[in-house]
Amino acid sequence: MSQAQAPQSASLFADPAARAAALRAELARLDHAYYVLDAPLVSDADYDTLFRELQALEAAHPELRTPDSPTQRVGGAPLPQFAPVRHAVPMLSIQTETDTTPQGAAAFDQRVRNKLALSADDPPVTYNAELKFDGLAINLRYEHGTLVQAATRGDGETGEDVTQNVRTIRSVPLQLHTTHPPAVLEVRGEVLMKRADFERYNERQRAKGLPTLVNPRNGAAGSIRQLDPTIAAQRPLAFYAYGWGEIVGWVHQPDTYHAMLDALAAMGLPVAEQRVHGPGAQTLIDFHGRIATERDSLPFDIDGVVYKVDSLALQAELGFRNREPVWAVAHKYPAQERSTRVLAIDIQVGRTGKLTPVAKLEPVFVGGVTVTNATLHNEDEVRRKDVRVGDAVIVRRAGDVIPEVVSVLLDQRPANAGQPFDLDKQLGGHCPVCGSAIVREEGEADWRCTGGLFCAAQRKQAILHYASRRAMDIEGLGEKLVDQLVDGGIVNVLPDLYRLGLLKLAALDRMADKSATNLLDALQASKSTTLPRFIYALGIRQVGEATAKELARHFGSLDTLMDASLEQLQAVSDVGPVVARSIRTFFDQPHNREVVEQLRACGVHWDESAPVEAAAPKPLAGKTFVLTGALPTMSREEAKERIEAAGGKVAGSVSKKTDYVVAGAEAGSKLAKAQELGIAVLGQEGLMTLLDHDGAADQGA
Ligand code: IVH
């Protein structure tokens, strides 16, 4: 960090006005570095020292207090109402391309080319692609370089004067960084709240027992429309420029859109770095695709992307239609969040006995699929979000991960909504499938059924896992069939699979002789397997495919593995204390040893002298992770072990070298730092997805 550049001692300045001006300029420079460039120049303490000196100076000499002083960002007196502002140039909106496929971008290009009467032989049109920010549109009016007014869009013709509130946004320059400012420059853009700031704000509100914001968009819009500017000042907002209104006297004004944004950035205005310009529809399609993958790791929510013709001359030629520019279009992504209602909170039993609360929802179309169930992770999560039967909730589906309930719309809670969630009480202390006692161990997030393989739900999951492609690969042994086999008492333990006969199988529902024969063949074929597959198939908690391979390679025989001590287990690369304990616990159960013996007696065999093929390339090799906050169902130690087992590294602090930050509840400054640096942020599900690429993370359910 360099030093603040304002002269160190006020006494050097006999002239308080000159000192105040120097402090204002220096604080503006530091604000820009911190809030726009994300590159702080001095410590917070140094900044505060300068800030307080200016405050003291202004208190002693009120005539020195200028509207562009950084001290004026904190908000003045409440307003009775907002004054109307008539826009010099109307604030219009843009057309939305509803086709969310790449075709949407091609359609826009075609419309532009048609309107310009270009034939297929003519060269491509140059376009800009940028983000469609999900906030509130604002017009900033600078006169001779000074911010004089900020207004909302309103009906497009007349907005509201929100200058006091917009001043509190630290990334909005109160003074343009140029020696030759245009006489008038209106900058248009979006005010929004970054996700990390939103989370932090809500965290603080919760701690104080005060109301929280529903989402960042409402947070931004609500803050700007606060009559009391001290409230806006407490809510961390950001601004990104994407256009302009009235311009008077700009010498050498650029003639393309991208150069205009570059010029605005040079004047100190925040312009998002995610933008490109280039020829033809392909530029747009590429950007749309790229942002689709980056979307979840952006520091703020977006509503899609926006395409604009780059040449301002062509923009003028294309003009407007129905009060919308022909030269611009918004291109959306399939919605990822929707609201719906909770019909019930069910509790599912996973393979390892984990009890997961699941919201049964009124069906809702989210992100391209109809969702009827969403995970609530665990009891603490349900309580933290206070989800109750009957509630209206926001459901989110990101990528391929399991849909989840994001939040409850508390103001829509019906009078007859259910009671606060209590898993133990709801289940009366017993597993809903087998009636065994349920337990929640100290320090664990999950309740578990203690029934083990006595529990039909766990048995079913264990059988499905055993039969899965990467385990014993028993084709035809699917969910419906396993349900029948277990519910009919035909298969109670894994070895029972090898005792199935044609008669019994063919008697089952929807089971033709042919499929019964095929299944028996598949079962027969599965008996000849490999040691790594067999270890993996046993379904030991924490032992994924990669770990199974390492164990097979290290111990060479199942008997040696079954008798290995904790220390011996930990000598295997990638096996830490958590995994070692889990393996030991598994083989310490007499019934598990019994199952292994019976499977061998049924003819399951492998060649222990066969070399174990090298483990698949580690999917996370070379990737650095930082863990922060509490994950719903994994301890930090566990997450670390699994990342390391997949070849990744876990570091303690976030830096440019971090590839992923895995954030759970109550994530703090590390999450904020990640979002500032634009580092991908994952939740537990996202981490599982990454790990799952080598089958190493199958132990969640
Ligand atoms: S251009 C004349 N660019 O979306 C064109 N708008 O319906 C004016 N928005 O009210 C808009 N990101 O609030 C433009 N990169 C972007 C945008 C953007 C968000 C908002 C804006 C506007 C609405 C358009």
Side-chain angles (χ1 to χ4, degrees):
M1 281 187 188
S2 76
Q3 275 295 306
Q5 284 182 1
Q8 296 299 299
S9 159
S11 64
L12 290 176
F13 277 82
D15 179 1
R19 177 66 185 165
L23 286 167
R24 276 199 302 272
E26 178 59 2
L27 288 166
R29 189 179 77 95
L30 299 177
D31 275 344
H32 182 253
Y34 188 95
Y35 290 101
V36 181
L37 305 179
D38 273 341
L41 295 174
V42 299
S43 70
D44 289 357
D46 287 351
Y47 182 95
D48 286 348
T49 306
L50 296 179
F51 192 87
R52 276 197 298 270
E53 185 188 339
L54 180 58
Q55 269 180 326
L57 208 54
E58 287 175 350
H61 307 273
E63 73 282 1
L64 296 181
R65 191 174 286 144
T66 60
D68 68 348
S69 169
T71 60
Q72 300 308 296
R73 288 194 190 269
V74 290
L79 300 169
Q81 62 182 62
F82 293 115
V85 173
R86 196 158 170 86
H87 297 301
V89 176
M91 285 182 83
L92 302 179
S93 66
I94 41 180
Q95 198 189 332
T96 298
E97 189 64 61
T98 44
D99 180 350
T100 55
T101 71
Q103 252 347 88
F108 169 63
D109 178 48
Q110 200 51 58
R111 277 200 306 278
V112 167
R113 294 184 71 85
N114 291 348
K115 185 88 191 265
L116 294 173
L118 296 175
S119 75
D121 299 335
D122 288 311
V125 174
T126 300
Y127 295 107
N128 263 268
E130 64 192 354
L131 303 176
K132 185 165 198 294
F133 305 96
D134 195 13
L136 183 73
I138 291 287
N139 184 69
L140 305 177
R141 187 174 172 91
Y142 290 90
E143 291 180 1
H144 304 288
T146 303
L147 177 69
V148 295
Q149 186 181 64
T152 62
R153 187 175 108 107
D155 63 6
E157 301 290 338
T158 308
E160 290 174 321
D161 186 333
V162 290
T163 314
Q164 284 214 69
N165 289 343
V166 170
R167 261 188 214 296
T168 68
I169 305 174
R170 307 295 287 262
S171 61
V172 168
L174 301 175
Q175 193 73 49
L176 295 177
H177 303 189
T178 169
T179 44
H180 295 94
V184 175
L185 172 58
E186 288 188 349
V187 179
R188 289 176 179 176
E190 203 89 344
V191 168
L192 51 82
M193 198 180 264
K194 293 186 183 174
R195 286 183 198 140
D197 290 329
F198 165 79
E199 296 292 349
R200 238 184 332 236
Y201 177 84
N202 274 355
E203 213 54 68
R204 275 203 304 269
Q205 291 289 100
R206 263 194 292 274
K208 289 190 245 164
L210 295 172
T212 51
L213 302 168
V214 174
N215 57 39
R217 211 203 88 81
N218 290 9
S223 309
I224 287 299
R225 301 202 65 266
Q226 279 290 337
L227 288 166
D228 181 352
T230 56
I231 294 182
Q234 290 159 19
R235 298 191 181 170
L237 300 178
F239 174 86
Y240 291 98
Y242 53 68
W244 53 90
E246 187 176 30
I247 295 180
V248 179
W250 184 342
V251 190
H252 305 306
Q253 183 186 333
D255 60 2
T256 60
Y257 180 79
H258 80 268
M260 278 293 284
L261 289 199
D262 291 345
L264 294 180
M267 288 189 211
L269 286 149
V271 175
E273 61 185 274
Q274 292 83 2
R275 61 189 175 108
V276 295
H277 65 280
Q282 197 56 45
T283 300
L284 308 177
I285 293 169
D286 291 348
F287 186 77
H288 188 257
R290 180 190 123 196
I291 296 302
T293 65
E294 290 176 12
R295 179 174 189 180
D296 286 340
S297 50
L298 291 173
F300 42 75
D301 289 344
I302 57 165
D303 195 23
V305 291
V306 173
Y307 308 142
K308 292 174 183 169
V309 169
D310 198 36
S311 153
L312 301 190
L314 285 185
Q315 284 192 4
E317 190 177 332
L318 287 158
F320 293 80
R321 187 162 175 268
N322 298 330
R323 299 185 54 79
E324 287 170 346
V326 178
W327 45 264
V329 76
H331 197 189
K332 301 240 180 174
Y333 294 101
Q336 295 178 305
E337 284 192 5
R338 279 271 188 286
S339 66
T340 184
R341 216 159 267 287
V342 177
L343 303 175
I345 299 178
D346 284 0
I347 292 153
Q348 286 182 355
V349 189
R351 176 158 58 82
T352 55
K354 173 182 158 187
L355 299 168
T356 305
V358 174
K360 297 280 154 186
L361 305 169
E362 223 161 67
V364 63
F365 195 68
V366 194
V369 298
T370 300
V371 169
T372 52
N373 291 327
T375 180
L376 290 163
H377 300 295
N378 58 41
E379 181 174 56
D380 292 347
E381 279 282 298
V382 188
R383 290 204 186 143
R384 191 173 69 76
K385 292 175 180 161
D386 192 15
V387 184
R388 305 191 195 182
V389 175
D391 270 340
V393 290
I394 306 276
V395 177
R396 177 179 172 82
R397 191 182 160 268
D400 295 331
V401 303
I402 306 166
E404 65 170 348
V405 170
V406 179
S407 60
V408 175
L409 302 171
L410 283 176
D411 54 344
Q412 292 179 36
R413 171 166 286 165
N416 63 354
Q419 293 299 306
F421 185 70
D422 183 328
L423 190 143
D424 195 26
K425 200 161 136 199
Q426 176 164 334
L427 295 182
H430 299 288
C431 169
V433 174
C434 72
S436 300
I438 60 170
V439 291
R440 181 174 169 180
E441 303 286 353
E442 176 105 23
E444 288 256 333
D446 298 312
W447 284 89
R448 284 182 195 278
C449 161
T450 55
L453 290 180
F454 171 72
C455 177
Q458 294 181 56
R459 217 153 52 218
K460 287 178 187 174
Q461 295 296 325
I463 294 169
L464 285 169
H465 173 75
Y466 182 82
S468 64
R469 200 172 48 78
R470 305 169 88 135
M472 303 300 275
D473 193 17
I474 306 171
E475 209 182 318
L477 194 58
E479 210 166 312
K480 294 241 161 60
L481 182 56
V482 170
D483 280 352
Q484 288 190 66
L485 293 172
V486 171
D487 294 342
I490 303 166
V491 172
N492 291 310
V493 288
L494 289 173
D496 289 344
L497 287 172
Y498 296 108
R499 299 175 185 130
L500 287 169
L502 191 57
L503 276 182
K504 250 195 193 142
L505 272 179
L508 294 173
D509 264 8
R510 278 177 302 209
M511 181 59 94
D513 279 1
K514 177 84 180 117
S515 14
T517 313
N518 288 345
L519 177 61
L520 290 176
D521 289 348
L523 279 161
Q524 186 60 33
S526 76
K527 288 182 187 171
S528 177
T529 188
T530 65
L531 180 56
R533 272 182 183 268
F534 186 75
I535 296 171
Y536 174 59
L538 290 175
I540 306 166
R541 272 181 79 194
Q542 318 286 354
V543 177
E545 216 184 345
T547 310
K549 274 189 183 150
E550 287 303 324
L551 291 169
R553 218 213 286 252
H554 185 92
F555 292 106
S557 89
L558 186 66
D559 294 313
T560 325
L561 166 62
M562 288 200 294
D563 293 334
S565 67
L566 282 177
E567 293 71 42
Q568 288 167 328
L569 286 166
Q570 286 194 53
V572 179
S573 78
D574 304 340
V575 174
V578 175
V579 180
R581 207 172 315 121
S582 169
I583 298 169
R584 204 48 270 145
T585 308
F586 184 90
F587 289 118
D588 280 344
Q589 310 286 318
H591 68 258
N592 286 336
R593 288 189 173 246
E594 178 67 25
V595 163
V596 169
E597 283 329 307
Q598 287 189 27
L599 287 170
R600 288 209 265 213
C602 288
V604 176
H605 65 279
W606 53 88
D607 180 359
E608 293 197 336
S609 64
V612 175
E613 60 171 291
K618 307 212 162 175
L620 305 185
K623 300 285 179 211
T624 303
F625 289 72
V626 171
L627 304 170
T628 174
L631 297 179
T633 65
M634 258 197 216
S635 72
R636 244 198 241 194
E637 192 186 359
E638 204 176 303
K640 180 164 185 273
E641 262 183 37
R642 296 179 59 171
I643 289 167
E644 288 173 351
K649 268 202 329 218
V650 176
S653 63
V654 179
S655 73
K656 288 234 162 74
K657 294 203 186 106
T658 311
D659 294 291
Y660 297 97
V661 168
V662 182
E666 325 266 309
S669 60
K670 289 178 189 172
L671 175 59
K673 182 88 188 283
Q675 301 196 326
E676 275 165 28
L677 293 176
I679 291 166
V681 176
L682 304 169
Q684 177 174 321
E685 303 284 350
L687 173 62
M688 293 298 226
T689 311
L690 279 187
L691 288 166
D692 229 357
H693 283 300
D694 87 333
D698 58 321
Q699 310 301 310

